[in-house]
Amino acid sequence: MAPPEMAEQLRQLLTENLAAFRRFAQRRLGDPELAADVVQDALLKALRAEEELRHDENLVAWFYRVLRNAIPDLHRKKATQTKALERFAIEMEKSPDAESHGVICECVTRLLPTLKPEYAEVIRRVDFDEQSTEEVAASLDIMAGNLKVRLHRARQQLKERLIETCRLCATHGCLDCYCETHS
């Protein structure tokens, strides 16, 4: 276990060098917000690992090693998240069964204008007009992966609005709607 004075020294050195750590991460990542996130993650790791410190170790050099290791971890984490979102988008693109395909609850159409405009547009184009995500992404001049993330967020926001508005029928697929608009 690190002596208490060493733990305090670590906290002080980390605080004093925070700007340098962020610059270091930003040079490697090219994004100031991402750099701040990776530095924060590395700070948490460093503070949790303070027992591993040796009394003769240069604390700043030790933290740079922690930070250098955190950057590839971040890339792996982002790659995993991107793959998961892409799998989800592919699953969502599969056409629904013939019975439910023609049935779109009036609530969905009524709630689209309550979404962010860019969310409403991607839902309308991909889900209602059945345009491919590649086609929509190209027309919006964004990457296909970015569109899939936007579409996922749009669907999540629409789901939340449906649950707020339609309550019970939203939970059961909104195919036999009993909300205010149908009463």
Side-chain angles (χ1 to χ4, degrees), residues 114-130:
T114 69
L115 304 179
K116 289 174 137 181
E118 61 269 19
Y119 287 179
E121 179 180 8
V122 295
I123 286 178
R124 189 175 294 108
R125 291 177 68 179
V126 173
D127 293 335
F128 292 3
D129 299 342
E130 298 181 355

